[in-house]
Amino acid sequence: DAGVIQSPRHEVTEMGQEVTLRCKLISGHNSLFWYRQTMMRGLELLIYFNNNVPIDDSGMPEDRFSAKMPNASFSTLKIQPSEPRDSAVYFCASSSARVLGDEKLFFGSGTQLSVL
Amino acid sequence: QKEVEQNSGPLSVPEGAIASLNCTYSDRVSQSFFWYRQYSGKSPELIMSIYSNGDKEDGRFTAQLNKASQYVSLLIRDSQPSDSATYLCAVNSGGGADGLTFGKGTHLIIQP
């Protein structure tokens, strides 16, 4: 199994530009989570999907952020327009948990985003 | 607002000793508790989960949970330099994959 695959690994862009981060889930997993990690705030949950349906997007910081899950294995996180304060590592994680005791999150390698 | 608190460290422990990492959480209805390890520049990986009060042992790792005190801890016995990493405490208030709330992590350094 290839694990959770994120792309790109690194993204450097200028303020105002659109940024799209991509994530491929582990085959058979039905939950998808987007997290953002910074030194100041740690790991923050942005949004999560279950069976392609967004369940909780209360962590999405602003309307500039949007996430989609067009099919069961793929998701995108878009920032438009990007700002320097969006600079962080963005992690995607997936899980097959629907039974207590099986909430293991598998994280992708992350996307290091730098907005200049 | 769910909060998970950890001492950021660094926590320095000599090789072979026991490392003790602590975590407190604010949401009394929390049901599931996890410890993740994150090496510098890498993604978090799950090392322990615990759901009931008491101790749970897995190899050199022991997780301890006290729901009355809203306190979770991780003990690492016979600490090795390869244990040097940031340890993240995570809490889930619902059954199933409902999104984990993470602490900011404790940076652990094992001194050879």
Side-chain angles (χ1 to χ4, degrees):
Chain A
D1 197 330
V4 176
I5 300 173
Q6 289 188 247
S7 64
R9 289 296 306 275
H10 303 276
E11 177 79 29
V12 180
T13 190
E14 292 186 348
M15 183 174 63
Q17 296 298 305
E18 177 179 298
V19 174
T20 299
L21 310 181
R22 297 174 175 81
C23 174
K24 183 177 185 300
L25 282 69
I26 293 173
S27 177
H29 282 194
N30 61 345
S31 294
L32 179 282
F33 305 80
W34 282 102
Y35 282 89
R36 176 173 69 177
Q37 187 174 39
T38 61
M39 288 292 292
M40 287 295 295
R41 303 174 68 91
L43 262 174
E44 301 174 278
L45 177 63
L46 301 178
I47 185 171
Y48 71 90
F49 296 82
N50 182 251
N51 293 324
N52 301 7
V53 177
I55 302 301
D56 184 358
D57 65 354
S58 60
M60 296 286 262
E62 307 171 22
D63 291 345
R64 297 184 297 108
F65 286 68
S66 62
K68 294 182 179 180
M69 197 165 176
N71 59 56
S73 62
F74 183 74
S75 177
T76 60
L77 178 67
K78 185 177 294 186
I79 308 172
Q80 166 63 21
S82 59
E83 297 183 3
R85 59 193 168 123
D86 301 331
S87 298
V89 180
Y90 289 80
F91 286 107
C92 170
S94 74
S95 172
S96 61
R98 279 272 48 112
V99 176
L100 184 64
D102 192 26
E103 294 94 341
K104 183 172 184 177
L105 294 188
F106 291 82
F107 283 81
S109 299
T111 295
Q112 174 75 60
L113 174 64
S114 297
V115 183
L116 306 177
Chain B
Q1 178 78 11
K2 302 171 189 174
E3 293 185 351
V4 179
E5 300 289 339
Q6 296 181 256
N7 188 319
S8 63
L11 174 65
S12 186
V13 173
E15 183 176 357
I18 295 175
S20 178
L21 304 163
N22 304 314
C23 169
T24 59
Y25 58 94
S26 63
D27 190 350
R28 280 200 165 273
V29 302
S30 298
Q31 298 181 14
S32 309
F33 308 87
F34 306 87
W35 284 98
Y36 282 76
R37 178 176 61 200
Q38 186 175 24
Y39 292 113
S40 180
K42 302 296 185 181
S43 56
E45 57 177 332
L46 179 69
I47 53 172
M48 287 288 291
S49 60
I50 187 167
Y51 309 97
S52 303
N53 281 329
D55 295 359
K56 179 181 177 182
E57 187 174 319
D58 184 1
R60 295 187 297 113
F61 298 97
T62 299
Q64 299 175 317
L65 174 61
N66 184 326
K67 290 186 178 180
S69 300
Q70 295 175 236
Y71 178 90
V72 193
S73 66
L74 178 70
L75 302 178
I76 306 174
R77 289 182 299 281
D78 188 24
S79 298
Q80 303 297 310
S82 59
D83 295 326
S84 298
T86 296
Y87 289 80
L88 304 168
C89 175
V91 175
N92 184 334
S93 294
D98 293 325
L100 297 181
T101 300
F102 282 84
K104 292 183 181 179
T106 298
H107 184 203
L108 175 66
I109 298 172
I110 305 301
Q111 295 180 323

